[in-house]
């Protein structure tokens, strides 16, 4: 008989854990997303922490490869490439051309201030040199498209966030991930070369080669692939599945090409996504399929399960410079000061952000995520490849600091919307309770108080001695009327003697007809016996005196 073997290797266990979690979360996805407004990325990160080496130890990525950093960097690279491609594809027709002022302001002044503020917080908290702090701050400066899509999609965003604001935040999160390279390499060149040589190398190596060449490659590739796909679709060469997956395969193609030539693959994918749907044809054809949202959900959940398992908890100890209190201070200050103040101060210069409420939302929801992990590992790779002794002091702390900030961003931004909605419900409940207490029996309402004042004035006019008497208890009950209500003025009715013409003669029987059954469909229209009658005007008032002829 054959023996039954149960494999407990992580290569067999981990896919089952991840797939089972995503399936179970999908079973109650409407409850978690549309009722509780819980972020899928937050739940995925918590699940990754539970099954990770710190709790159950069912998943330990450090044992999968001899170079854990390389595995994590490549995972984050491809996740970012696909996400920025999706961000570029979902933007409207010629969006970057129409909103170039808003995009440019967010990418240059706003992102530069976010970089400097993050670097200043890190410098003073960990007592680093400003150049080293600039390198770590460059990893945190970009907003993350993975977390941004999780915030900008769904019922809450569609109900409360204007479309123009969602579009500008999507464009910013897709573009500034690629522009994290110039900020990072500026600090690396200063550490490695110093002075004017570093600035010259940074200009021609980073801006002209990595950034400019990536933009050209992305724009040309997106244009050519769009024309080729449209021709193939018109000619009937491409099936539906291949048509829908063309943007994802294009992202994988560009990652491979840009990695070989050493350019900015993340920025290239975003530019290619915009060029691919520049005329809005591909976006319109795929917007009802749900493919983009499905890919975004699978990528974000899978990556943050992985991230929850690789958080270096052992690095946060009192013995080294990464003490828990310093980490908490850095996370709190970056959440509050990195982005929110600069957007509140400059939103009038950004056409797509029109009100201070828009600036408050855009300033708060600028999450730190996958891109920060990628750039922190790129920093370690550059220091190792060039054997930079000046960067050795930050090599062992950049990754733990960035992971702590990412953890804080996922946690804070994941619970913000549920807390806001809970606060609104509590406020509504307290308001309803206060209203019911105010209107309970025994309390004076404003209407009764007004009636009491009017009654007191009337009694004061009639008899000054009764003016100081206490009001009746009936005034202090809701809905109570005045004990001495003001009588309505009598209307002088005219008697039949004055208007004899209003006494009508008896009606003829033949002139009285039953109502037509077609006139009133919802009433009883059966014929009734109608007897002759007079139309009589009743008047109970005394007759007016006739004027004398004298």
């Amino acid at each position: 008989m054959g023996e039954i073997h149960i494999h407990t290797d992580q290569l067999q266990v981990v896919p089952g854990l991840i797939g089972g979690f995503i399936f179970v979360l999908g079973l109650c996805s409407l409850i978690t997303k549309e009722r509780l407004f819980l972020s899928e990325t937050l739940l995925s990160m918590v699940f990754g922490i539970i099954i990770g080496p710190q709790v159950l130890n069912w998943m330990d990525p450090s044992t999968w490869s001899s170079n854990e950093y390389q595995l994590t960097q490549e995972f984050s690279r491809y996740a970012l490439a696909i996400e920025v491609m999706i961000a570029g594809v979902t933007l409207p027709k010629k969006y970057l051309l129409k909103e170039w002022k808003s995009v440019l302001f967010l990418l240059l002044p706003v992102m530069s201030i976010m970089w400097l503020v993050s670097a200043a917080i890190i410098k003073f908290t960990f007592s680093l040199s400003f150049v080293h702090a600039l390198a770590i701050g460059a990893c945190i400066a970009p907003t993350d498209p993975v977390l941004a899509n999780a915030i900008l999609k769904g019922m809450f965003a569609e109900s409360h966030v204007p479309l123009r604001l969602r579009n500008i935040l999507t464009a910013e999160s897709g573009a500034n991930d690629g522009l994290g390279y110039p900020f990072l390499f500026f600090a690396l060149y200063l550490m490695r070369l110093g002075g004017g040589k570093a600035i010259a190398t940074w200009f021609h190596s980073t801006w002209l080669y990595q950034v400019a060449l990536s933009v050209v490659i992305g724009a040309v590739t997106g244009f050519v692939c769009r024309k080729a796909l449209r021709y193939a679709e018109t000619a009937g060469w491409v099936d539906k599945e291949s048509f829908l997956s063309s943007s994802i395969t294009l992202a994988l193609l560009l990652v491979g090409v840009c990695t070989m030539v050493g350019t900015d693959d993340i920025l290239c994918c975003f530019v290619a996504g915009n060029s691919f749907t520049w005329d809005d044809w591909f976006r319109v054809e795929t917007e009802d399929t749900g493919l983009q949202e499905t890919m975004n959900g699978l990528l974000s959940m899978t990556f943050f399960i992985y991230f929850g398992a690789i958080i270096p908890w052992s690095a946060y100890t009192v013995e080294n410079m990464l003490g828990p209190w310093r980490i908490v201070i850095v996370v709190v200050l970056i959440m509050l000061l990195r982005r929110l103040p600069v957007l509140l101060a400059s939103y009038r210069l950004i056409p797509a952000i029109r009100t201070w409420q828009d600036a408050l939302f855009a300033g708060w929801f600028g999450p730190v995520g996958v891109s920060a992990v990628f750039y922190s590992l790129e920093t370690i790779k550059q220091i190792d490849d060039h054997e930079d002794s000046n960067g050795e002091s930050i090599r062992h702390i950049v990754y733990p600091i960035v992971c702590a900030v990412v953890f804080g961003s996922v946690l804070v931004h994941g619970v913000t919307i549920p807390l806001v909605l809970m606060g609104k419900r509590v406020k509504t409940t307290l308001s309803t309770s206060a209203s019911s207490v105010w209107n309970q029996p025994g309390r004076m309402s404003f209407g009764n108080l007004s009636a009491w004042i009017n009654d007191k004035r009337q009694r004061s006019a009639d008899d000054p001695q009764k003016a100081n008497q206490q009001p009746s208890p009936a005034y202090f009950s809701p809905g109570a009327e005045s004990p001495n209500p003001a009588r309505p003025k009598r209307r002088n009715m005219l008697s039949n003697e004055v208007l004899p013409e209003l006494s009508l003669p008896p009606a003829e029987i033949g002139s009285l007809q039953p109502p037509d059954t077609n006139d009133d469909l919802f009433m009883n229209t059966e014929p009734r016996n109608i007897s002759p009658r007079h139309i009589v005007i009743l008047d109970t008032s005394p007759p007016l005196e006739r004027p004398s002829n004298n």
Side-chain angles (χ1 to χ4, degrees):
M1 294 179 63
E3 296 181 0
I4 299 176
H5 296 280
I6 298 177
H7 299 278
T8 58
D9 223 12
Q10 289 197 24
L11 293 177
Q12 288 81 32
V13 174
V14 170
L17 291 174
I18 295 177
F21 172 77
I22 295 176
F23 178 78
V24 172
L25 189 60
L27 294 179
C28 53
S29 57
L30 281 178
I31 297 176
T32 57
K33 291 191 296 186
E34 308 298 343
R35 296 183 184 178
L36 301 177
F37 296 99
L38 290 175
S39 171
E40 291 179 341
T41 54
L42 174 60
L43 298 176
S44 301
M45 185 183 70
V46 172
F47 179 73
I49 294 173
I50 293 174
I51 66 174
Q54 299 297 323
V55 184
L56 299 178
N57 198 22
W58 293 348
M59 176 179 175
D60 188 3
S62 63
T63 62
W64 299 354
S65 174
S66 58
N67 190 345
E68 177 191 357
Y69 289 159
Q70 182 179 7
L71 176 63
T72 304
Q73 185 178 14
E74 294 305 315
F75 189 6
S76 59
R77 182 196 303 275
Y78 283 94
L80 268 180
I82 295 175
E83 287 294 338
V84 297
M85 174 65 72
I86 292 175
V89 168
T90 55
L91 291 176
K93 180 179 180 180
K94 300 180 180 179
Y95 183 80
L96 293 183
L97 182 62
K98 296 177 182 178
E99 296 290 344
W100 67 270
K101 292 182 180 179
S102 299
V103 175
L104 192 63
F105 192 87
L106 288 171
L107 293 182
L108 294 181
V110 172
M111 188 175 177
S112 299
I113 295 175
M114 291 164 58
W115 173 40
L116 296 176
V117 170
S118 302
I121 294 172
I122 292 170
K123 169 183 168 50
F124 291 109
T125 305
F126 297 105
S127 301
L128 298 173
S129 67
F130 194 64
V131 175
H132 292 163
L134 285 176
I136 303 177
C139 303
I140 302 172
T143 56
D144 187 68
V146 179
L147 293 177
N149 282 334
I151 296 170
L152 300 175
K153 304 294 182 182
M155 186 177 70
F156 179 86
E158 294 175 357
S159 303
H160 298 85
V161 185
L163 180 60
R164 54 177 172 76
L165 189 58
R166 282 182 275 151
N167 286 335
I168 192 61
L169 294 180
T170 300
E172 182 201 9
S173 64
N176 66 9
D177 277 331
L179 287 179
Y181 269 102
F183 296 98
L184 175 62
F185 277 90
F186 179 78
L188 292 176
Y189 286 144
L190 284 178
M191 287 189 294
R192 188 182 309 157
L193 303 174
K197 187 177 180 181
I199 296 177
T201 305
W202 175 66
F203 181 76
H204 69 75
S205 178
T206 303
W207 283 105
L208 293 183
Y209 185 75
Q210 287 187 324
V211 175
L213 185 59
S214 298
V215 171
V216 173
I217 293 174
V220 173
T221 306
F223 174 80
V224 173
C225 292
R226 169 165 51 91
K227 293 295 184 181
L229 182 63
R230 189 154 194 174
Y231 179 81
E233 198 270 340
T234 304
W237 295 352
V238 60
D239 61 1
K240 181 179 179 181
E241 291 77 13
S242 300
F243 179 85
L244 295 176
S245 62
S246 56
S247 61
I248 309 300
T249 55
L250 179 59
L252 300 178
L253 167 67
L254 290 174
V255 169
V257 172
C258 293
T259 304
M260 287 189 294
V261 300
T263 57
D264 189 346
D265 48 356
I266 308 302
L267 180 61
C268 182
C269 288
F270 176 73
V271 174
N274 279 273
S275 178
F276 192 59
T277 185
W278 189 253
D279 59 355
D280 224 20
W281 169 71
F282 184 79
R283 185 186 70 84
V284 172
E285 292 291 329
T286 59
E287 64 179 352
D288 295 330
T289 61
L291 176 65
Q292 321 293 348
E293 292 78 7
T294 302
M295 288 298 302
N296 175 63
L298 290 176
L299 270 176
S300 61
M301 286 188 287
T302 304
F303 182 85
F304 280 98
I305 292 174
Y306 178 85
F307 173 76
I310 64 173
I311 298 176
W313 299 105
S314 59
Y316 311 118
T317 59
V318 181
E319 289 77 13
N320 58 24
M321 61 186 305
L322 301 179
W325 67 271
R326 293 191 182 189
I327 292 295
V328 172
I329 289 175
V330 165
V331 172
V332 172
L333 291 180
I334 286 178
M335 292 294 104
L336 295 177
L337 303 179
R338 163 180 164 266
R339 180 178 173 86
L340 184 59
V342 62
L343 277 182
L344 287 176
S346 63
Y347 76 91
R348 297 180 186 276
L349 303 176
I350 307 173
I353 302 179
R354 299 177 183 174
T355 64
W356 69 268
Q357 291 91 340
D358 292 350
L360 181 64
F361 181 87
W364 179 250
F365 288 104
V368 183
V370 183
S371 59
V373 176
F374 172 77
Y375 282 118
S376 67
L377 298 176
E378 182 66 22
T379 303
I380 298 175
K381 181 177 181 296
Q382 290 293 326
I383 293 174
D384 291 342
D385 290 347
H386 294 85
E387 298 179 355
D388 189 0
S389 59
N390 292 329
E392 197 63 31
S393 59
I394 66 168
R395 184 192 181 280
H396 301 288
I397 64 173
V398 57
Y399 180 67
I401 291 175
V402 167
C403 286
V405 175
V406 173
F407 172 82
S409 179
V410 175
L411 179 63
V412 170
H413 294 119
V415 301
T416 296
I417 294 177
L419 289 179
V420 169
L421 294 177
M422 187 182 302
K424 289 184 178 180
R425 291 172 183 172
V426 171
K427 181 179 179 182
T428 303
T429 304
L430 292 177
S431 177
T432 305
S433 302
S435 177
S436 62
V437 169
W438 176 258
N439 292 326
Q440 67 182 355
R443 285 190 174 272
M444 176 182 282
S445 64
F446 289 105
N448 295 334
L449 179 62
S450 177
W452 172 66
I453 293 174
N454 292 333
D455 182 68
K456 184 175 181 180
R457 289 176 179 174
Q458 183 178 358
R459 286 185 293 147
S460 176
D462 296 340
D463 189 354
Q465 296 181 354
K466 296 181 180 180
N468 296 325
Q469 294 180 1
Q470 295 295 327
S472 172
Y475 282 114
F476 294 88
S477 301
E481 296 181 356
S482 172
N484 299 314
R487 296 182 179 180
K489 296 180 180 180
R490 293 185 56 187
R491 297 177 58 188
N492 293 326
M493 306 294 294
L494 297 178
S495 63
N496 291 337
E497 298 178 358
V498 178
L499 297 176
E501 64 271 13
L502 293 181
S503 273
L504 301 180
E508 298 293 337
I509 297 179
S511 63
L512 299 175
Q513 300 293 335
D516 190 0
T517 57
N518 294 326
D519 292 341
D520 211 343
L521 298 179
F522 298 98
M523 298 178 65
N524 184 11
T525 56
E526 296 181 359
R528 298 183 295 271
N529 295 326
I530 302 175
S531 59
R533 65 190 68 183
H534 284 282
I535 297 178
V536 180
I537 297 178
L538 299 178
D539 186 7
T540 59
S541 60
L544 298 177
E545 296 182 359
R546 293 175 178 262
S548 61
N549 295 329
N550 299 327

